[in-house]
Every structure is written in structure tokens, then in C-alpha cells.
Amino acid sequence: MHHRPTLAKINLSAILSNYQQACKLAPKARQVAVIKADAYGHGAIEVATYLEPHVPAFAVAFLDEALALRAAGIGKPILILEGLTGEEELRLAEQFNFWPMLHSNEQLLALMSLTPTPELQCWLKVDTGMHRLGLTPVDAQSWADKLCREMKQRPVLASHFSCAEVLDSPISKHQMQQLFALAAHMECEVSLANSAALIRLPQSAVGWNRPGIMLYGCPPIADKTVAELNLQVAMTVTSQIIAIREVMPGEAVGYNCRWQAEQKSRIATLAIGYADGYPRLTNSASEVFLHGQRARVVGTVSMDMLTIDISHIPEAKVGDEVELWGGNIPVNEVAAHANTIGYELLTRVTQRMHRAYLRD
Ligand SMILES: *Cc1c(COP(=O)(O)O)cnc(C)c1O
């Protein structure tokens, strides 16, 4: 039971539609639905349960995320993007049909020391330029050889773009060429594209793709809107007006008097704050949506509340619903005002925010 009028409304059929849109961009490839970080804040179990009949596999960052999905009854293979280390983790992967994306010599040595069964489908992460995780192409080739010989399997060769959202990036092309050359030589399948690459670099979207952010209707590319990408916004954050007051010129609102009225203003207080995931460090241009109009966030965002200027919306009253981000206020816009990206705001919606699911 929850009473607070502050919600993240999650539209599960929008997520499915976005997944299908990702598939349309690469009809010959297969797409792993990336649901790490609690499905980017949308609830991994709910999202996985809804998508499961439609996807070949899921991806998460680490083992505990995958185990939680199995405990909730999700049966499809789960790719573990940060790989697995040590015997216990690898045995769990065998037992639960997880696909480790092995990225280091240490992880591969651990794997080979326990004579794994061929059913343990391995992916090898190759560092083609991101320089964060991954084997060198030379090491990847020798490990792929070894897996072919000793496990009778061809690993999927994977890499991750560092600049996928940049149009015509020579870095992306170089990364792609390196991985394709290695995969052709080894006769292995490849996995390269995240959401931005599916859109920007369709040549890379072969084999297995790994769309994440686009599934949630958040454009991975700054110059494209949700509609232009044929996506649907999956999360709408709303709250209510819980108080309204008038302030006189020169009077300040909120902590540290960061905002001062220049003229007589009508200020509404909303039941949402930074402890819900609304960014505290937002600049003074951040806006919300009510009564078909936009209104400015004014003053410092508090833990449980924030204040907006509704001087131009005389019909607004206590109890009215206000959208913080969603179909009218893109999450990327709120993020830009807080000097961050939509990914961060979505994944930082906190546990106390009630999530209400819409299913078709
Ligand atoms: C998070 C992640 C993805 C998904 O990226 P999006 O930009 O959200 O589409 C794909 N691959 C790897 C390795 C990741 O870590």
C-alpha cells in the first residue's frame, strides 16, 4: 500500500514496442535486451517478465543481478557483461545458463582450470579501443582457439564502442574493423552494437546486438527525439501539488534563498525531491509540465519536495498532477539541466519512488 502521490509510471508495452523497433533496425541480427541496473530504473523483474516471450536473451552487469532474475522465474539465457571470476561463480553460470562475457586472462584461466562443459556458452570481450575491459585482439584469438579445442565451442566475440553516438566516428570504424577481422579469422559470431550504434552505425549491428537505453524510450543520441526514432517513452515521473502560496518581490524560496521573486509570484510545492531521484544540482532552467504547460523549477530542490513557479497557470490547484519527466518533458532535457545524461537520472530513481506498471 502506498499513499504518496509520487510515481514512476512504467509503460511495459512501450518497452516491448521499443525492443521491436530495435529489431527492425537490424532484422538479420538478434538483440539481447539489456536490463542491468534494475532495467535502467524500470524494474528488472517486471521488465524481464514482460519481455521474456519476445527476446532470445537478457544482459545484466554482474552475477547477483542474474541470480535475482532466476529467483523470480526468468528462464532465458542471461549474458553477464562483466564476466565471472572464480570457480563458484562459473559453476553458478553453468547451473543457471548464464553467458559470461569473459574479459581478462584471469577470468579465462579460472574458467579453464575447472574443465567447463560445452554448454557454458562463453563470450569473449575484446578491447578494440575503449580501454576499460577486454582482452587484446591477440589474446582473444588465442583464447578463442583454446575454447574451440578444449570446450568444442566458438565463443561470441564482443566489443563495446567508446563513441557510438558520434556520427561517422573514425574510432568506431576502427573498433568495428578490428573485431570483424578477428571474428572472420576465427569464424566466430560478433556482438558490437549498443543502442546508439544500432541507430548510427547499422554496419556494426550484426550477430548479437545489445540495446539498453533505447528500450526505455530514451534517445541515445542528443539530436534525435523519441518520435524521430520511433520510440515510446517508458517512464513518466509524476507528483502532485501539495501547497500553493504567493511570494512578494524580494522574497526568497527554499534553502539558502537561492531563488528570489522579482515580481509577485505564485509558487507550488510538489511532493518529490532529490531522495526520489530528481537531481538537486539542477540549473534554473529546469521545467515541469502541468495543465498542458511548462513551469520552471525555482529554488533549491529539497530532499522530499521541490518548488515551481506557476504564476502563469492560475487554474493550478493543490492536488493537481505534475509531470517531472516523461512524454512532455524528455528525461534527457532534465538531465542536461543537471549536467548529466538520461541514463543517470533513470538509474537513480530511488527505491522509495513507487513504480506503477501499465501493461497492455
Ligand atoms: C550497458 C551496456 C550496453 C547497453 O548500452 P545502451 O547505450 O544502453 O544501449 C551494451 N553493452 C555493454 C557492454 C554495456 O555495458
Side-chain angles (χ1 to χ4, degrees):
M1 194 55 205
H2 69 100
H3 299 281
R4 190 161 174 253
T6 301
L7 292 177
K9 296 174 189 162
I10 314 283
N11 183 341
L12 291 170
S13 49
I15 298 177
L16 175 56
S17 162
N18 295 333
Y19 177 78
Q20 288 163 339
Q21 181 57 27
C23 294
K24 273 192 205 152
L25 293 174
K28 292 197 190 121
R30 280 162 295 175
Q31 346 295 330
V32 178
V34 180
I35 55 169
K36 63 188 175 183
D38 204 22
Y40 293 49
H42 295 66
I45 289 169
E46 287 82 358
V47 170
T49 304
Y50 196 82
L51 288 185
E52 178 147 47
H54 309 277
V55 307
F58 295 103
V60 296
F62 51 87
L63 180 65
D64 292 339
E65 291 182 314
L67 287 169
L69 289 167
R70 282 286 179 270
I74 300 300
K76 286 271 165 81
I78 304 175
L79 175 64
I80 302 188
L81 296 167
E82 290 180 3
L84 295 169
T85 309
E87 177 163 355
E88 189 200 344
E89 293 192 10
L90 288 157
R91 291 284 178 222
L92 285 168
E94 273 185 319
Q95 183 186 341
F96 288 108
N97 194 20
F98 299 151
W99 298 344
M101 193 189 278
L102 302 164
H103 65 75
S104 67
N105 292 323
E106 290 77 11
Q107 289 191 338
L108 279 143
L109 286 168
L111 173 78
M112 297 319 293
S113 73
L114 56 91
T115 51
T117 60
E119 284 76 58
L120 180 63
Q121 175 61 55
C122 295
W123 293 39
L124 298 185
K125 176 84 169 246
V126 188
D127 183 3
T128 55
M130 178 77 148
H131 300 324
R132 185 178 62 176
L133 290 182
L135 303 156
T136 64
V138 170
D139 283 347
Q141 182 173 332
S142 74
W143 282 116
D145 262 335
K146 214 171 163 74
L147 296 191
C148 288
R149 274 198 320 271
E150 294 182 23
M151 282 177 77
K152 307 282 177 267
Q153 68 163 249
R154 293 193 188 278
V156 177
L157 298 181
S159 198
H160 195 53
F161 288 118
S162 60
C163 311
E165 62 283 358
V166 178
L167 193 60
D168 292 328
S169 155
I171 296 169
S172 298
K173 293 217 172 95
H174 177 70
Q175 289 191 265
M176 188 171 75
Q177 281 158 7
Q178 277 194 81
L179 194 76
F180 283 178
L182 186 62
H185 182 70
M186 299 305 302
E187 294 174 40
C188 288
E189 282 198 289
V190 296
S191 175
L192 264 170
N194 62 354
S195 303
L198 262 166
I199 295 160
R200 281 281 202 235
L201 200 61
Q203 317 91 285
S204 73
V206 295
W208 290 93
N209 298 316
R210 308 184 305 269
I213 195 77
M214 73 184 292
L215 305 183
Y216 309 101
C218 178
I221 294 168
D223 60 8
K224 295 270 187 221
T225 64
V226 179
E228 283 168 341
L229 296 172
N230 293 315
L231 299 176
Q232 295 175 29
V233 169
M235 183 193 288
T236 302
V237 171
T238 62
S239 186
Q240 273 183 9
I241 298 178
I242 55 170
I244 292 180
R245 73 202 60 249
E246 284 196 336
V247 296
M248 291 300 152
E251 287 185 323
V253 172
Y255 286 119
N256 301 321
C257 305
R258 228 183 89 194
W259 184 84
Q260 250 191 13
E262 280 169 12
Q263 60 228 5
K264 192 166 138 189
S265 305
R266 206 157 160 253
I267 300 297
T269 303
L270 310 184
I272 185 168
Y274 63 77
D276 301 296
Y278 195 88
R280 179 176 175 278
L281 290 174
T282 189
N283 67 28
S284 54
S286 210
E287 292 178 327
V288 301
F289 192 82
L290 70 162
H291 286 281
Q293 298 180 64
R294 285 169 169 255
R296 276 275 168 90
V297 175
V298 295
T300 308
V301 172
S302 306
M303 185 184 291
D304 315 305
M305 286 173 268
L306 59 80
T307 37
I308 61 175
D309 183 351
I310 53 162
S311 303
H312 58 302
I313 312 177
E315 65 273 31
K317 59 187 186 307
V318 168
D320 286 353
E321 187 178 277
V322 179
E323 176 187 315
L324 284 298
W325 69 67
N328 299 293
I329 306 278
V331 67
N332 278 338
E333 176 189 316
V334 182
H337 289 309
N339 200 17
T340 181
I341 53 176
Y343 291 79
E344 186 176 2
L345 294 197
L346 293 175
T347 56
R348 290 178 82 171
V349 169
T350 59
Q351 280 311 310
R352 84 172 193 184
M353 179 99 87
H354 182 69
R355 283 154 174 86
Y357 289 94
L358 243 93
R359 300 172 170 85
D360 250 10

